[in-house]
Amino acid sequence: MGTSINDIMNEKINSDKAPEPVGLYPHARKVGNLLFLSGVGPRERGTKVIPGVTLDVDNNILDYDIETQCRSVFNNVKLILEASGSSWDKLVDVTVFLTNMKDDFATYNRVYAEFFKDNQPCRTTVEIDSLPTPIAIELKCIATV
């Protein structure tokens, strides 16, 4: 059984450095010259540790630092882009999910401006009630390859 043109034009990609997906999905999928990243959070690979988050024994959030989470998410996105043959400067669209827009937007926006000052992809920021793990931010990205 050989590799078909559909397999080449629609490739699943997983990074060995970014945190493992929490479900049945790849880190990214390359279709033609576009790269679609699955939602990326701030977790660390090989552990349940979430940078900037303090949990109680029942995994409820006691406290969190949105700046630490932002920096970790951006680093995880970078790792996935690099594993996929792309790079930070090739991001063209970013959707950001925040669980607390009122308290976190200003800090997130400041850190975002630091990371994206040279490359300015399209951006949408949405507040949601919760994310699948106890995190305050998740990114959904599209890049070119």
Side-chain angles (χ1 to χ4, degrees):
M1 202 174 202
T3 302
S4 73
I5 190 70
N6 286 339
D7 292 335
I8 294 168
M9 297 299 293
N10 192 353
E11 176 186 355
K12 294 178 192 170
I13 300 165
N14 283 296
S15 166
D16 61 359
K17 295 179 181 173
E20 300 86 347
V22 295
L24 185 59
Y25 55 86
H27 282 131
R29 186 179 289 270
K30 184 166 57 170
V31 180
N33 71 335
L34 292 177
L35 183 69
F36 299 86
L37 274 63
S38 295
V40 180
R43 284 184 306 109
E44 294 179 346
R45 183 166 186 87
T47 179
K48 300 266 188 223
V49 171
I50 303 169
V53 176
T54 305
L55 301 173
D56 67 15
V57 293
D58 296 319
N59 281 334
N60 297 308
I61 299 171
L62 293 174
D63 190 33
Y64 71 94
D65 178 342
I66 191 64
E67 182 167 347
T68 300
Q69 286 193 53
C70 289
R71 292 181 185 284
S72 185
V73 168
F74 296 158
N75 182 61
N76 287 341
V77 167
K78 184 176 180 274
L79 293 171
I80 294 168
L81 290 168
E82 290 171 355
S84 303
S86 188
S87 58
W88 192 259
D89 62 318
K90 293 183 178 179
L91 282 165
V92 295
D93 190 68
V94 177
T95 302
V96 181
F97 301 96
L98 295 176
T99 59
N100 188 340
M101 188 80 71
K102 181 180 176 191
D103 291 343
D104 296 342
F105 183 81
T107 301
Y108 140 75
N109 201 41
R110 177 179 48 78
V111 177
Y112 186 97
E114 176 186 324
F115 277 78
F116 287 94
K117 72 177 182 172
D118 295 324
N119 176 31
Q120 296 177 9
C122 294
R123 180 182 88 175
T124 302
T125 305
V126 180
E127 182 178 45
I128 59 172
D129 288 336
S130 66
L131 288 158
T133 58
I135 59 178
I137 183 171
E138 181 174 281
L139 266 62
K140 176 79 174 104
C141 305
I142 301 172
T144 58
V145 181

